[in-house]
């Protein structure tokens, strides 16, 4: 494993079984660091079962804003043995644990009940911090008058470990107490007190036993240097943009990772003119949103790959009826079929481009970071209304679940554009909903508007909306609808189509889309030679001429795709006729890291065309079988491990 870390950032990771509270600990720590003026990038990896399987949450911390993670770990907090050594109690182990990723001079905080780790950690110059989690928790509970109850409250071990890790890096406890208390309403003050005391006991233990060991310390910035900032996830940014844009109907059927967005909207819908509907399936979700958009309502639906597979007919209906939307948010995850439900991937690009029978207009865009999640979601409703077509926004699990520190979104310049509407006072003859206008956009009406009655059908129709199979009418209507795509391409601001960084003289141009943005921006500053970055945001209609012009002037090109088949590279070649010199792909369900980008660049320098990256390095695909067998042999040759303390469902790779 490569353990070269970015010197400006500190990587803190907490791992344990799902259901043990790692989410709470990591997110509280992120908020505390943010209030102290530090910058955070946080990302979580978790299994698709509810409890028991391993999860880990990583905070990348710095005084400047990190935009990505790296594989090396500076400080590891382990709530169980699996976090350290892997799932070697399984018949078919899947990982070796995280202790091997800890950098030299780094630290590992773990439960001393696991036993001696001296002979089980790969390097000897790593600081091991064994801590009796339950004993410290017992001390905290005793202070609260709850004697001999540590086993009953063992779920709070994560709070003890959370406090201890802050103590080990000498972080000011007052920030921890502030965020802990802020997470509980006044009526649950007793729970806040319990968590504060447990965290303080862990903090004091670490200050007493470990604090002098680590070289890295986290001290708050002076008050005058602290910027106003928030800690926000991708799904929250999308949801807030929908509220700002005036979305009046959100439909969904629960599916990971899209559900978090609708759940966030449900918490706030009473404060806005918004209705959230959990439908019986994804067919109903898209049909309800499309019908609402046809009726003049700003409507949206959110889903992931398996749910999107049920939606193409509804999208086609919205397009042929020239509804003002809906805005459809597609959160990509690993496929095919159910695939790896809680892991990330960018493999639905071709699916989104071609979902639905026949030719019909639509917009397909992909955000690259959380700021773009907000901006592009807001504008998507304007585009849906203006061009009267569905808008597909592509995100992925990594972008959905990551949390970053950002200044508050600028909202003063946001403008709602509802497009072209029928005005009864200027009526001249019968209202023609699908009038053949020069630019292909006909004034819309809404139910109940006097004089604005119209027919809507999923069949081909004439200007009135009545079904027509006439040859001339078909040619006219197809030209009318499809002509809206070049109009949109000419009018949508360039910053929503593509973005370009770096000198034209750079030897390499990195081409990418989606959530690879942050890691490529961070990695670009670490390579020995200057590189140029081209982010493609508008994927349909494709900004063909602009991309062709940029790439034709590039010396050498690398395309980064988080899928198996280099889908963006294929799309670029299809639209521009230009091939990439190298294709970097990652499809193991985990987001690409800085180490992997640097390893891929080195391989491209050697002339490698297809470059597969995983676990911090370039790898050969045929290694997979050997590594599966190596893990089984490792289990057979290791001492018996204790299974996770949180029960795993029967039959789940026992």
């Amino acid at each position: 494993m490569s353990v070269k870390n970015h010197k400006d950032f500190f990587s803190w990771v907490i791992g344990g079984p799902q259901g043990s509270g790692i989410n709470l600990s990591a997110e509280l720590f992120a908020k505390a660091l943010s209030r102290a003026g530090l910058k955070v990038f946080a990302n979580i990896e978790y299994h698709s079962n509810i409890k028991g399987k391993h999860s880990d949450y990583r905070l990348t911390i710095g005084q400047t804003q990190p935009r990505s993670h790296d594989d090396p770990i500076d400080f590891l907090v382990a709530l169980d043995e699996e976090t350290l050594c892997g799932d070697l109690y399984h018949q078919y182990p899947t990982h070796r644990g995280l202790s091997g990723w800890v950098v030299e001079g780094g630290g590992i905080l773990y439960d001393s009940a696991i036993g001696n780790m001296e002979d089980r950690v790969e390097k000897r110059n790593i600081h091991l911090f064994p801590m009796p989690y339950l004993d410290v928790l017992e001390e905290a509970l005793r202070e609260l008058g709850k004697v001999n109850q540590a086993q009953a409250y063992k779920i709070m071990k994560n709070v003890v470990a959370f406090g201890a890790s802050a103590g080990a890096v000498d972080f000011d406890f007052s920030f921890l107490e502030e965020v802990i208390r802020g997470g509980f309403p006044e009526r649950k003050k007793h729970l806040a007190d319990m968590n504060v005391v447990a965290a303080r006991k862990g903090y004091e233990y670490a200050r007493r036993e470990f604090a002098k060991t680590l070289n890295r310390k986290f001290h708050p910035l002076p008050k005058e240097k602290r910027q106003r900032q928030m800690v926000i996830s991708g799904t929250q940014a999308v949801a807030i943009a929908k509220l700002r844009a005036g979305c009046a109907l959100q439909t969904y059927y629960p599916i990971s990772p899209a559900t978090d967005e609708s759940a966030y909207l449900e918490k706030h819908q009473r404060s806005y003119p918004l209705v959230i509907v959990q439908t019986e399936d994804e067919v109903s979700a898209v049909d309800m949103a499309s019908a609402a958009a046809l009726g003049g309502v700003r409507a949206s639906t959110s889903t992931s790959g398996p749910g999107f597979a049920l939606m193409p007919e509804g999208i086609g209906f919205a397009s042929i009826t020239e509804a003002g939307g809906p805005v459809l948010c597609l959160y990509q995850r690993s496929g095919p079929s159910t695939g790896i439900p809680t892991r990330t991937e960018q493999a639905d690009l071709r699916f989104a481009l071609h979902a639905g029978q026949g030719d019909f207009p639509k917009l397909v865009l992909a955000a690259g970071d959380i700021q773009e999640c907000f901006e592009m979601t807001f504008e998507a409703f304007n585009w849906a209304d203006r061009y009267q077509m569905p808008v597909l926004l592509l995100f992925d699990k990594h972008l959905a679940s990551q949390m970053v520190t950002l200044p508050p979104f600028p909202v003063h310049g946001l403008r709602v554009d509802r497009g072209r509407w029928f005005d009864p006072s200027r009526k001249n003859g019968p209202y023609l909903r699908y009038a053949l206008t020069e630019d292909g956009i006909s004034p819309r009406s809404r139910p109940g508007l006097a004089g604005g009655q119209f027919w809507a059908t999923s069949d081909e129709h004439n200007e009135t909306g009545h079904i027509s199979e006439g040859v001339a009418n078909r040619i006219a209507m197809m030209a009318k609808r499809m002509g809206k795509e070049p109009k949109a391409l000419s009018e949508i601001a360039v910053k929503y189509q593509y973005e370009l960084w770096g000198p034209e003289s750079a030897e390499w141009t990195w081409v990418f889309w989606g959530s690879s943005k942050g890691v490529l921006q961070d990695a670009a500053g670490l390579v020995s030679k200057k590189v140029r970055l081209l982010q493609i945001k508008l994927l349909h209609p494709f900004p063909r001429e602009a991309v062709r012009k940029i790439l034709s002037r590039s010396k050498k090109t690398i395309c980064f795709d988080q899928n198996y088949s280099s889908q963006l590279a294929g799309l670029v070649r299809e639209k521009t006729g230009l091939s990439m010199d190298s294709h970097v792909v990652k499809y193991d369900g985990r987001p690409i890291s800085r180490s992997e980008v640097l390893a891929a660049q080195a391989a491209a320098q050697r002339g490698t065309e297809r470059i597969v990256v995983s676990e911090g390095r370039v790898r050969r695909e045929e290694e997979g079988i050997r590594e599966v067998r190596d893990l089984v042999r490792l289990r057979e040759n290791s001492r018996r491990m204790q299974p996770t303390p949180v029960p795993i469902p029967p039959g789940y790779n026992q």
Side-chain angles (χ1 to χ4, degrees), residues 81-94:
E81 188 176 8
E82 178 178 342
T83 299
L84 299 171
C85 304
D87 53 347
L88 300 183
Y89 51 85
H90 277 172
Q91 179 183 5
Y92 289 98
T94 61

Side-chain angles (χ1 to χ4, degrees), residues 88-164:
L88 300 183
Y89 51 85
H90 277 172
Q91 179 183 5
Y92 289 98
T94 61
H95 69 108
R96 298 171 184 264
L98 297 175
S99 61
W101 286 107
V102 178
V103 300
E104 297 182 7
I108 300 177
L109 175 70
Y110 65 97
D111 192 343
S112 58
I114 293 174
N116 184 14
M117 290 298 299
E118 290 286 349
D119 60 340
R120 303 180 68 191
V121 175
E122 293 180 11
K123 303 179 186 64
R124 295 297 178 264
N125 53 347
I126 291 175
H127 302 296
L128 297 178
F129 303 137
M131 179 177 176
Y133 289 172
L134 279 180
D135 291 349
V136 176
L137 178 59
E138 183 66 59
E139 184 182 345
L141 293 171
R142 189 181 304 117
E143 183 175 311
L144 294 163
K146 299 179 182 292
V147 182
N148 297 325
Q149 296 188 44
Q151 280 294 334
Y153 288 94
K154 64 181 180 180
I155 187 66
M156 292 181 63
K157 289 196 303 181
N158 71 302
V159 181
V160 172
F162 159 54

Side-chain angles (χ1 to χ4, degrees), residues 219-417:
H219 294 141
L221 295 183
K223 284 187 177 181
E224 62 273 13
K225 292 187 177 181
R226 294 178 205 165
Q227 298 176 345
R228 185 165 174 252
Q229 58 186 7
M230 57 185 176
V231 180
I232 188 170
S233 71
T235 51
Q236 290 171 343
V238 172
I240 292 169
K242 289 184 177 183
L243 295 175
R244 281 283 177 181
C247 179
L249 176 69
Q250 165 90 355
T251 64
Y252 77 105
Y253 183 78
I255 187 170
S256 176
T259 306
D260 288 347
E261 182 211 304
S262 294
Y264 184 84
L265 285 170
E266 285 173 334
K267 292 180 182 178
H268 298 279
Q269 71 178 109
R270 291 181 181 273
S271 302
Y272 294 86
L274 170 67
V275 175
I276 315 291
V277 180
Q278 180 179 324
T279 58
E280 62 267 33
D281 54 34
E282 288 88 354
V283 175
S284 299
V286 72
D287 287 350
M288 188 178 292
S290 297
L294 181 62
V297 170
R298 285 199 152 181
S300 178
T301 188
S302 297
T303 190
S304 188
F308 186 65
L310 301 175
M311 294 186 173
E313 188 173 8
I315 299 170
F317 170 81
S319 195
I320 198 169
T321 57
E322 302 190 48
V327 173
L328 193 153
C329 299
L330 172 55
Y331 292 89
Q332 301 166 94
R333 68 189 206 189
S334 298
S337 189
T338 310
I340 318 179
T342 56
R343 306 294 181 177
T344 198
E345 204 161 85
Q346 294 179 327
D348 292 343
L349 173 56
R350 289 290 189 174
F351 184 22
L353 294 176
H354 302 293
Q357 70 273 30
D359 295 312
F360 60 86
K362 57 184 175 295
L363 297 178
V364 181
L365 301 101
D369 57 29
I370 290 180
Q371 184 73 37
E372 289 178 1
C373 285
F374 176 80
E375 294 173 357
M376 294 174 74
T377 301
F378 180 88
E379 291 297 339
F381 287 91
N382 288 340
W383 298 326
D385 274 343
R386 188 185 306 155
Y387 304 115
Q388 300 176 24
M389 63 172 73
V391 179
L392 278 63
L393 296 176
L394 301 186
F395 310 111
D396 56 38
K397 177 265 171 184
H398 178 52
L399 195 53
S401 62
Q402 67 181 235
M403 299 189 77
V404 300
T405 45
L406 285 177
F409 294 130
V411 297
H412 57 274
L414 299 179
R415 186 176 66 89
V416 171
D417 177 4

